[in-house]
């Protein structure tokens, strides 16, 4: 019997050319195509995401085949699940980024693991799952393949319908975990497969016992204790973790914004103790981690606990720079900002969503324009990088409210910003009032009384042109979380800003359709020179070079 019980596979970013084709097929005025246009550059005639452009242009200078990708930061879900299995006496190995670790994954599958678990944290459809299952089947045909995570939860919102039955067959896994946490279900699946016992006794699992119909076993909500399930970082090799790492100190969110269904899926807010956080940070620092990403949905909530964690980090003095989601409305005094800065806060993700009070009310953000303004000012004063995330087109949005958001961004001047058309989630609380707002449709294909998805895309382009006090961040395989990753490679915000300003100019000039081609070529030349001038540490990943 193999010494390896389970391989846990993280993110598969998919094929960018396929993504481009999907966005283009949605139409030139669609939200999908608008997003695509503002997250890619062209290198040697081929559209590529920002970090791939960075990698390819660096390789022209170095002659190497380096691949910089934020997925080099160890996927927290895979580490957490591998650690959870280990705590239950099982041997598990994490794989963070599928496409970049095929050789390592193949070696692990050669060890004939009993189970291969596939996480789906960032997926909105089954397309990224299918090639992972195919790869596993080719290299370890006897392994039991289980898929779990948010994708499965979202697919089954209306039960295991005929459509879901078809999707489960299309993914071709052996079982699916239907539970917002699911850690214990995975443990019991691995134990059952190894012991050749009946999987139907495991709660929260979807099985196909007759080969014709998928059926859910007994439903039993999990409530896993974050202290007992904390990660033993010393069990992972330093080279797997690297200089930048993610961790979490809480599960779920204390707020109920009307565009988000996460709290309803994740349950009540649960937190780890400050002492548990202390132990994890000590172990991470010993491994060589220098940039820390807290993935808690609202790291500075509750405010009292946030201050306690900051004081602990100041006391420990581990040399960590940290990044997190941050809610300005809950940083209620100067002390909160002072403690954040003194404890090593380097950057924060601000879910601003809108600069219009009426739209914020419709979102149930429980935050006021003045709180955002004061919060960004306090963060900027302390040299903390700020990123403002904006939703365009939520019910109540008009051209006038978008103008208010443009004005807000130009006056507050966060370091970075990005806007996206609203993704209409039928599971979100706002759909309880769909008749009130006149919401029709879902995803990026919707309309309501004050705007349509196509109009939201147009207004997002308008913002791209009119926001001048802040720098645009691309989304695809980049986003705010690439900042700590690149900091770990020795590329800081001061070096990134001129490159990102140039890429923003390139996108604006390219998408205008009426610019001088020579000017576009000059901007691209300057961008290539700027990339060539930095000297990042080599990444762990490489492009596959054809023989």
């Amino acid at each position: 019997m193999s010494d390896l019980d389970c391989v846990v596979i993280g993110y598969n970013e998919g094929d960018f050319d396929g993504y481009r084709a999907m966005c283009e097929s949605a139409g030139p005025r669609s939200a999908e195509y608008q997003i695509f246009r503002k997250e890619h550059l062209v290198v040697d005639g081929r559209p590529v995401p920002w970090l791939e452009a960075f990698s390819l242009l660096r390789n022209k200078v170095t002659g190497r085949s380096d691949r910089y990708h934020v997925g080099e930061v160890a996927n927290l879900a895979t580490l957490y699940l591998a650690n959870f299995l280990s705590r239950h006496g099982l041997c598990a190995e994490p794989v963070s980024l599928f496409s970049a670790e095929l050789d390592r994954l193949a070696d692990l599958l050669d060890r004939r693991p009993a189970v291969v678990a596939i996480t789906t944290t960032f997926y909105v459809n089954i397309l990224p799952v299918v090639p992972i299952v195919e790869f596993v089947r080719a290299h370890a045909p006897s392994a039991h393949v289980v898929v779990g995570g948010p994708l499965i939860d979202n697919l089954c919102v209306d039960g295991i319908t005929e459509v879901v039955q078809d999707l489960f067959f299309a993914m071709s896994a052996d079982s699916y975990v239907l539970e917002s946490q699911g850690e214990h279900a995975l443990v019991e699946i691995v134990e059952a497969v190894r012991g050749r016992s009946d999987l139907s006794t495991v709660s929260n699992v979807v099985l196909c016992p007759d080969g014709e119909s998928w059926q859910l076993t007994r439903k039993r909500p999990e409530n896993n204790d974050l202290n007992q399930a904390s990660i033993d970082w010393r069990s992972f090799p330093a080279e797997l973790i690297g200089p930048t790492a993610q961790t979490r100190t809480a599960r779920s969110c204390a707020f109920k914004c009307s565009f988000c269904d996460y709290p309803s899926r994740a349950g009540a807010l649960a937190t780890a103790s400050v002492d548990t956080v202390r132990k994890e940070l000590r172990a991470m620092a010993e491994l060589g981690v220098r940039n820390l990403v807290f993935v808690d949905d609202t790291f500075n909530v509750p405010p009292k606990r946030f201050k306690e964690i900051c004081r602990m980090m100041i006391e420990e003095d581990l040399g960590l720079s940290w990044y997190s989601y941050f809610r300005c409305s809950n940083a209620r005094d100067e002390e909160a900002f002072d403690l954040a800065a003194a404890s090593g806060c380097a950057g924060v993700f601000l879910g601003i969503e809108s600069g219009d009070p009426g739209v914020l009310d419709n979102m149930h953000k429980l935050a006021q324009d003045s709180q955002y303004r004061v919060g960004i000012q306090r963060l900027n004063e302390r040299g903390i990088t700020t990123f403002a995330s904006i939703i365009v087109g939520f019910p109540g949005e008009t051209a006038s409210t978008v103008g208010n958001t443009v004005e807000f961004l130009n006056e507050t001047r966060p370091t970075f910003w990005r806007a996206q058309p609203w993704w209409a989630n039928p599971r979100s609380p706002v759909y309880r009032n769909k008749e009130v707002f006149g919401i029709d449709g879902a995803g990026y294909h919707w309309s309501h009384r004050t705007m349509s998805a196509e109009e939201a895309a147009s207004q997002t382009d308008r913002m791209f042109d009119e926001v001048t006090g802040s720098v645009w961040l691309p989304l695809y395989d980049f986003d705010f979380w690439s900042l700590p990753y690149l900091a770990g490679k020795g590329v800081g915000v001061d070096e990134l800003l001129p490159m990102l300003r140039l890429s923003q100019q390139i996108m604006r000039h390219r998408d205008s359709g009426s610019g001088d081609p020579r000017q576009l070529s000059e901007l691209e030349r300057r961008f290539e020179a700027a990339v060539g001038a930095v000297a990042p540490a080599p990444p762990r990943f490489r492009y596959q070079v054809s023989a």
Side-chain angles (χ1 to χ4, degrees):
M1 183 175 288
S2 171
D3 65 324
L4 182 59
D5 297 308
C6 184
V7 175
V8 186
I9 302 176
Y11 186 54
N12 176 18
E13 82 275 41
D15 174 60
F16 191 73
D17 288 335
Y19 168 71
R20 178 188 66 175
M22 180 189 72
C23 293
E24 290 175 344
S25 68
R29 298 179 62 246
S30 67
E32 294 96 327
Y33 191 60
Q34 188 281 326
I35 294 169
F36 165 75
R37 285 189 286 104
K38 296 301 188 287
E39 60 187 8
H40 81 273
L41 297 171
V42 177
V43 176
D44 295 332
R46 186 167 66 93
V48 293
W50 199 94
L51 260 182
E52 185 166 351
F54 179 87
S55 301
L56 296 173
L57 295 175
R58 283 293 310 156
N59 291 340
K60 288 185 177 183
V61 175
T62 64
R64 296 164 59 94
S65 57
D66 291 339
R67 182 186 182 190
Y68 291 92
H69 194 290
V70 69
E72 189 180 343
V73 177
N75 182 283
L76 184 59
T78 65
L79 296 179
Y80 176 79
L81 289 171
N83 175 82
F84 197 91
L85 290 165
S86 176
R87 285 184 176 275
H88 287 78
L90 299 166
C91 177
E93 289 284 353
V95 174
S96 288
L97 185 64
F98 171 70
S99 65
E101 298 185 82
L102 293 178
D103 290 343
R104 177 170 175 267
L105 176 56
D107 289 342
L108 291 172
L109 295 176
D110 283 344
R111 292 167 59 184
R112 296 187 300 144
V115 173
V116 175
I118 300 172
T119 65
T120 62
T121 303
F122 301 106
Y123 302 159
V124 296
N125 59 52
I126 71 169
L127 294 179
V129 177
V130 174
I132 301 177
V133 177
E134 291 175 347
F135 187 90
V136 173
R137 297 292 190 211
H139 289 80
S142 64
H144 179 98
V145 179
V146 55
V147 180
L151 175 66
I152 306 305
D153 198 29
N154 289 332
L155 290 177
C156 297
V157 61
D158 296 318
I160 306 175
T161 63
E162 289 187 13
V163 171
V164 174
Q165 293 274 348
D166 291 341
L167 292 173
F168 281 176
F169 281 118
M171 283 187 280
S172 297
D174 297 300
S175 65
Y176 301 89
V177 173
L178 182 54
E179 159 58 35
S180 63
Q181 296 180 37
E183 296 95 312
H184 268 291
L186 179 58
V187 168
E188 293 182 13
I189 288 171
V190 176
E191 291 175 339
V193 172
R194 285 194 63 86
R196 301 182 186 277
S197 57
D198 187 2
L199 277 169
S200 67
T201 63
V202 180
S203 300
N204 306 317
V205 179
V206 182
L207 301 169
C208 188
D210 59 3
E212 296 182 1
S213 177
W214 293 93
Q215 302 169 20
L216 177 64
T217 62
R218 178 177 55 178
K219 188 70 176 167
R220 176 181 289 178
E222 293 187 13
N223 186 21
N224 299 295
D225 186 280
L226 291 180
N227 294 309
Q228 295 178 4
S230 63
I231 294 177
D232 178 9
W233 290 91
R234 295 180 180 87
S235 67
F236 297 107
E239 58 271 18
L240 182 68
I241 303 303
T244 302
Q246 302 174 341
T247 190
R248 70 170 180 176
T249 77
R251 181 177 59 236
S252 194
C253 178
F255 301 92
K256 293 180 172 58
C257 300
S258 64
F259 56 82
C260 177
D261 71 328
Y262 177 59
S264 65
R265 290 189 288 107
L269 179 68
T271 60
S273 71
V274 175
D275 190 51
T276 292
V277 179
R278 183 196 304 270
K279 291 176 182 177
E280 285 205 31
L281 300 194
R282 284 177 177 174
M284 295 168 83
E286 289 175 8
L287 282 175
V289 172
R290 291 295 173 262
N291 301 286
L292 180 63
V293 179
F294 292 105
V295 301
D296 308 21
D297 278 63
T298 44
F299 181 53
N300 63 315
V301 176
K304 180 180 178 181
R305 176 177 178 271
F306 171 69
K307 291 182 178 181
E308 291 173 353
I309 291 177
C310 288
R311 292 190 185 100
M312 177 272 290
M313 288 192 282
I314 294 169
E315 177 186 331
E316 291 291 322
D317 192 22
L318 297 171
L320 296 170
S321 297
W322 61 266
Y323 303 75
S324 77
Y325 292 101
F326 192 88
R327 199 172 179 98
C328 288
S329 59
N330 291 86
R332 296 167 181 163
D333 52 34
E334 293 286 336
E335 183 185 37
F337 295 101
D338 289 339
L339 287 171
S343 62
C345 181
V348 290
F349 183 117
L350 305 173
I352 301 296
E353 320 307 358
S354 175
D356 181 81
V359 174
L360 289 174
D361 283 345
N362 288 349
M363 291 178 170
H364 298 170
K365 281 292 290 184
L366 302 181
Q368 298 176 354
D369 174 271
S370 59
Q371 293 172 314
Y372 287 147
R373 290 177 181 273
V374 170
I376 294 174
Q377 179 183 346
R378 297 292 182 265
L379 292 163
N380 287 345
E381 288 171 350
R382 289 160 176 80
I384 295 172
T385 298
T386 50
F387 168 67
S389 177
I390 304 296
I391 294 172
V392 181
F394 195 77
E397 189 87 273
T398 64
S400 177
T401 64
V402 171
N404 291 338
T405 302
V406 170
E407 181 180 302
F408 169 87
L409 291 169
N410 283 332
E411 291 177 356
T412 58
R413 303 178 71 86
T415 318
F416 299 106
W417 77 290
R418 186 183 61 251
Q420 273 188 261
W422 174 48
W423 191 79
N425 178 2
R427 294 186 62 174
S428 62
V430 72
Y431 267 75
R432 298 171 195 156
N433 296 312
K434 62 181 297 186
E435 289 79 16
V436 174
F437 292 114
I439 300 172
D440 181 41
Y444 286 126
H445 302 274
W446 51 263
S447 63
H448 51 67
R449 298 195 193 285
T450 60
M451 192 167 282
S452 68
E454 290 78 9
E455 290 168 334
S458 176
Q459 290 296 324
T460 305
D461 279 338
R462 168 197 168 191
M463 292 186 68
F464 187 87
D465 291 333
E466 294 183 4
V467 174
T468 58
S470 184
V471 176
W472 177 271
L473 271 191
L475 174 64
Y476 193 102
D477 289 345
F478 193 81
D479 208 354
F480 173 77
W481 310 112
S482 285
L483 303 184
Y485 164 64
L486 289 171
K489 298 298 181 186
V491 181
V493 168
D494 288 343
E495 292 174 293
L496 277 172
L497 277 168
M499 288 187 279
L500 287 164
R501 286 194 184 99
L502 280 168
S503 61
Q504 187 171 351
Q505 292 176 49
I506 289 169
M507 293 175 191
R508 181 179 293 118
H509 193 87
R510 179 191 67 206
D511 295 346
S512 69
S514 58
D516 183 346
R518 292 172 298 180
Q519 186 178 355
L520 178 59
S521 296
E522 173 60 16
L523 288 170
E524 291 175 335
R525 185 199 64 77
R526 289 169 55 195
F527 178 74
E528 182 171 350
V531 172
V534 298
R540 186 161 58 93
F541 298 153
R542 301 285 185 272
Y543 288 108
Q544 297 292 326
V545 180
S546 301

